[in-house]
Amino acid sequence: MAKLALINRDLKRRKMVEKYAKKRAELTAIINDQSRSEEERFAARLEIQAFPRDASPVRLRNRCQLTGRPRGVYRKFGLGRSKLREFVMLGQVPGVTKASW
């Protein structure tokens, strides 16, 4: 089990990213629009840079939904490799079987 503080920090970051997502998308569209003036695009860059650091989606970390483990997480299931293996062996993950050849 990961430290609770690390799990809570990641949850806080996810909320922050969600809060600023719409505004970030609008400003990014302005920045990428070549028909806009350089001053407008530069102002949009400055506005994005003024956002809090945790508002950036790059700072998010995929974590296991059960244990909070940061590494070895399968996106499709949202579980760490150890928990995924445990559930697959119990037959609780539909459509997944142990490979054998």
Side-chain angles (χ1 to χ4, degrees):
M1 184 79 179
K3 284 186 177 180
L4 196 57
L6 298 178
I7 295 170
N8 289 337
R9 183 188 306 161
D10 195 56
L11 291 174
K12 180 180 164 187
R13 283 181 178 159
R14 289 185 187 280
K15 289 177 188 172
M16 183 82 73
V17 167
E18 187 178 328
K19 178 181 175 184
Y20 284 91
K22 185 178 177 187
K23 183 70 173 168
R24 180 177 290 275
E26 291 170 2
L27 291 173
T28 305
I30 291 171
I31 291 169
N32 294 332
D33 187 4
Q34 296 293 327
S35 64
R36 301 264 185 154
S37 69
E38 281 296 319
E39 292 80 19
E40 268 185 306
R41 294 170 63 204
F42 185 71
R45 277 193 209 100
L46 291 178
E47 202 169 334
I48 280 186
Q49 288 176 0
F51 285 177
R53 278 188 172 186
D54 285 343
S56 174
V58 173
R59 291 175 66 95
L60 295 178
R61 178 80 178 168
N62 288 336
R63 290 187 173 269
C64 176
Q65 296 296 313
L66 298 177
T67 62
R69 181 181 169 85
R71 297 182 179 191
V73 178
Y74 287 82
R75 287 181 184 183
K76 184 174 182 178
F77 304 104
L79 296 173
R81 58 181 174 76
S82 54
K83 285 295 177 184
L84 179 63
R85 183 175 192 271
E86 186 180 308
F87 286 136
V88 167
M89 293 302 173
L90 293 173
Q92 294 179 350
V93 182
V96 179
T97 57
K98 184 177 177 183
S100 61
W101 55 89

